[in-house]
Amino acid sequence: NAGVTQTPKFRILKIGQSMTLQCTQDMNHNYMYWYRQDPGMGLKLIYYSVGAGITDKGEVPNGYNVSRSTTEDFPLRLELAAPSQTSVYFCASSRDRDRRGDEQFFGPGTRLTVL
Amino acid sequence: AQSVAQPEDQVNVAEGNPLTVKCTYSVSGNPYLFWYVQYPNRGLQFLLKYITGDNLVKGSYGFEAEFNKSQTSFHLKKPSALVSDSALYFCAGPGSSGSARQLTFGSGTQLTVLP
């Protein structure tokens, strides 16, 4: 099992550009998540999905969009990049056997800089 | 509002000494609490979780955490620290929805174990 994979590892964008961060998991997990990590701020949930075709907003969704067409893939889209979106982005997944919360498996992250 | 707090940005401990990384919580109802560890340039890894029951939870790599309801704390502990334990540690709990599927993370504590 590769677990959770993310591409690219690094990216520099100009203000106003768009891009898609890719996330794939091979563990057949229903739940998937996108977080951003800013220095000294912990992780903030951007969007999450409870299964194919179902997504919902997290704590900081503005400026992002997601889709979930398959169980395996959960891409994150930035339409008009802004310097405030400079961050490290993590994708995660979980089995959700326990409605109270299961272990989340994290990808290695994408470091995004917007100049 | 649901929240977890890590009052220490940095903890230094000598190898072989016991270590404690602190976490306090403000969660309504029964708290579901987690500890994750992040090594440099890696995603987060699950260490342990508290759901209900025994207040002392054992996890990976010899770590354990003590849930204390009267002090609203969930401190991470290890009897004898290793240099390889040096990493960034995050406490997490249910987000604003009250669901542990949507986690809120503390700001993180950098643990340095000195040889």
Side-chain angles (χ1 to χ4, degrees):
Chain A
N1 280 354
V4 179
T5 58
Q6 293 182 239
T7 56
K9 287 187 169 57
F10 305 95
R11 184 73 185 268
I12 298 175
L13 283 181
K14 294 181 179 179
I15 294 172
Q17 286 185 321
S18 62
M19 77 165 294
T20 298
L21 282 66
Q22 302 290 345
C23 175
T24 300
Q25 55 92 8
D26 62 358
M27 297 173 282
N28 201 33
H29 286 171
N30 286 328
Y31 275 58
M32 296 187 74
Y33 314 81
W34 273 106
Y35 295 93
R36 59 178 287 171
Q37 182 180 29
D38 300 313
M41 298 292 291
L43 277 72
K44 302 289 186 185
L45 181 65
I46 304 171
Y47 271 95
Y48 69 99
S49 169
V50 304
I54 307 170
T55 63
D56 207 348
K57 295 177 180 179
E59 187 179 357
V60 289
N62 291 345
Y64 307 94
N65 277 301
V66 293
S67 59
R68 184 96 181 269
S69 56
T70 66
T71 299
E72 294 79 19
D73 301 308
F74 190 41
L76 177 72
R77 178 83 176 163
L78 283 71
E79 290 295 349
L80 291 170
S84 60
Q85 294 177 305
T86 294
S87 189
V88 181
Y89 292 84
F90 289 100
C91 180
S93 70
S94 66
R95 293 182 184 87
D96 197 50
R97 293 168 301 183
D98 186 340
R99 63 174 176 81
R100 296 166 297 184
D102 252 336
E103 169 188 357
Q104 293 187 19
F105 294 79
F106 284 78
T110 294
R111 187 175 294 275
L112 176 67
T113 302
V114 182
L115 300 174
Chain B
Q2 316 276 58
S3 67
V4 293
Q6 295 179 244
E8 298 165 320
D9 293 334
Q10 174 85 36
V11 170
N12 296 329
V13 64
E15 188 175 27
N17 282 1
L19 70 87
T20 298
V21 183
K22 296 179 180 178
C23 174
T24 60
Y25 66 89
S26 174
V27 173
S28 58
N30 291 323
Y32 310 129
L33 299 166
F34 302 78
W35 275 103
Y36 285 83
V37 60
Q38 185 180 30
Y39 297 101
N41 301 313
R42 302 284 297 276
L44 277 69
Q45 296 178 33
F46 171 82
L47 278 178
L48 50 83
K49 71 177 179 182
Y50 171 82
I51 303 294
T52 59
D54 197 347
N55 289 341
L56 187 63
V57 180
K58 294 190 183 297
S60 306
Y61 313 121
F63 283 93
E64 57 189 27
E66 185 174 7
F67 174 75
N68 188 316
K69 189 171 183 178
S70 63
Q71 297 185 5
T72 61
S73 67
F74 188 55
H75 299 335
L76 181 70
K77 300 183 179 185
K78 188 173 182 181
S80 179
L82 300 172
V83 172
S84 57
D85 293 329
S86 298
L88 187 56
Y89 290 81
F90 291 97
C91 181
S96 56
S97 69
S99 168
R101 294 163 175 163
Q102 301 171 46
L103 292 177
T104 184
F105 286 81
S107 55
T109 298
Q110 181 66 50
L111 173 69
T112 301
V113 181
L114 305 167

